[in-house]
Amino acid sequence: MIYDKIYDFCKVRNTHGAYKNGIDEYSPRLKFIINTIDELNLNYEIIKFNDSIFKNNYFYNIYLKGNSDMMAIAHHDVYNPNCDNANDNSASIINCLLLKKLNPDINIAIIDGEEPPCFGIGSKRLASDIISKYFGKIKHVLNLELTGLGGNNFFIGKLGSRLENKIIKEFNPLVISVPFNDSMILMDKNIDSTVITSLPIINNIPDYSIMSRIHTKLDSIDSISINDMKIFTEKIALKILS
Ligand SMILES: [Zn+2]
C-alpha cells in the first residue's frame, strides 16, 4: 500500500524552514516527493520560481496535469524542520499522489511557501498558472491540510466557495472559520477553492487538538493513521473530486 510511504517521508528532515528551503537545491523533502512520484510512474513538471521578498531562496511547485476541471493541492514546505510534520502536511502530499493514481483525470499541485513567514508564495504562483490556463479549465480546487487522522470525519473552512456548497450538500460536514491557508489566496484571485481537514471524533466530540500539535514534535508519525488516510482519500476526497 502506497500510504506506507508516509513512514519514510516523516523521517526526512529539511535543513531549513519554509523560506530557506531552496537556498542550495532541492530540499530533502522535495527530493523524496520527486522520487515517490517517479516510483508511481506519474508525469509531472517542477516549477522553480523566485519571490521578491525572499530573494536568495528558490521555491518549487510540482504540477501533475489531468484532463478534468478538478484540482487537489497540498503544501509541501514545513515551518519546523526538526519534527515529523506528519499531519501538516506530509499526509496530504501522500494522499494527493494517491488521488492521482486512483483518478488520473484529477489535476494535482504540490506547492511551496505556505508556512510562516511565506504565507502563500506557492499558491500565488499556482493562481497565476491556473489563470494563464496551464492546466486548461479549472472549476474547483480542493486544498488538503491535515488529512492524516480522522478518516470519514472532516471539516471545511468557511470561505464561501461554490465547492464548499457542493461539499455541504453531499456530506453535511462541520464548516468553521479557519486560520490562513492557500485556499484564501486562490479565492482572492477568483479561483474557487475549499480547504479540507480531517477531524477525529472521540465520544461524539470533535478533537481539535490536532490543530495545536502542528509545528511541534507532537505532530509525529505515531499521531496519525494510514488507515484514516486511506478512508479520507478514497471515501471523501476522491468523491469530491470526481
Ligand atoms: Zn499546513
Side-chain angles (χ1 to χ4, degrees):
M1 191 163 65
I2 303 158
Y3 297 97
D4 288 346
K5 282 273 168 199
I6 191 70
Y7 293 110
D8 288 332
F9 191 19
C10 283
K11 287 179 194 152
V12 178
R13 291 282 181 271
N14 277 1
T15 40
H16 301 285
Y19 71 105
K20 282 184 174 173
N21 267 335
I23 283 180
D24 308 317
E25 41 163 350
Y26 293 168
S27 70
R29 280 172 57 88
L30 197 67
K31 277 184 199 155
F32 183 92
I33 295 166
I34 294 165
N35 286 340
T36 303
I37 296 172
D38 282 334
E39 279 175 39
L40 292 171
N41 268 319
L42 296 167
N43 293 320
Y44 61 96
E45 193 177 346
I46 300 169
I47 310 292
K48 179 182 183 179
F49 56 100
N50 255 143
D51 179 81
S52 54
I53 298 171
F54 306 103
K55 283 198 183 76
N56 298 321
N57 186 50
Y58 283 106
F59 294 90
Y60 298 91
N61 285 356
I62 306 174
Y63 296 156
L64 299 89
K65 277 194 208 180
N67 292 321
S68 79
D69 55 9
M70 301 298 270
M71 174 181 278
I73 67 170
H75 75 82
H76 67 75
D77 60 307
V78 297
Y79 176 77
N80 177 357
N82 301 312
C83 61
D84 287 356
N85 294 292
N87 205 16
D88 181 21
N89 202 21
S90 306
S92 300
I93 305 289
I94 303 294
N95 292 344
C96 272
L97 298 181
L98 261 295
L99 284 170
K100 184 68 181 169
K101 209 61 195 164
L102 294 164
N103 181 354
D105 286 339
I106 299 171
N107 295 276
I108 302 286
I110 308 290
I111 59 178
D112 209 343
E114 188 269 348
E115 297 287 3
C118 297
F119 294 116
I121 285 172
S123 48
K124 278 176 196 150
R125 172 64 199 233
L126 173 64
S128 72
D129 291 331
I130 290 175
I131 290 163
S132 70
K133 296 279 189 283
Y134 176 94
F135 298 92
K137 182 183 184 291
I138 295 295
K139 192 173 172 191
H140 300 301
V141 178
L142 186 67
N143 176 18
L144 277 60
E145 272 278 9
L146 319 183
T147 60
L149 191 68
N152 272 321
N153 303 302
F154 66 91
F155 67 81
I156 55 174
K158 196 185 181 81
L159 297 171
S161 67
R162 283 175 284 122
L163 181 57
E164 187 177 318
N165 292 329
K166 186 176 176 281
I167 296 170
I168 291 168
K169 267 190 203 139
E170 200 174 344
F171 295 93
N172 195 30
L174 286 164
V175 184
I176 65 170
S177 294
V178 285
F180 172 82
N181 65 80
D182 286 313
S183 288
M184 293 172 177
I185 300 279
L186 298 178
M187 288 290 280
D188 261 3
K189 310 271 182 192
N190 289 316
I191 296 162
D192 196 74
S193 182
T194 298
V195 61
I196 188 164
T197 297
S198 303
L199 184 68
I201 307 278
I202 299 169
N203 300 328
N204 287 320
I205 299 167
D207 178 16
Y208 289 103
S209 69
I210 52 161
M211 312 291 280
S212 60
R213 285 182 222 153
I214 62 165
H215 304 171
T216 75
K217 297 232 189 278
L218 297 175
D219 186 8
S220 67
I221 183 69
D222 324 317
S223 71
I224 65 167
S225 148
I226 55 167
N227 195 44
D228 279 11
M229 286 169 62
K230 183 175 161 65
I231 292 168
F232 170 80
T233 301
E234 296 176 21
K235 306 279 182 223
I236 307 293
L238 191 61
K239 278 191 189 156
I240 292 171
L241 292 159
S242 296

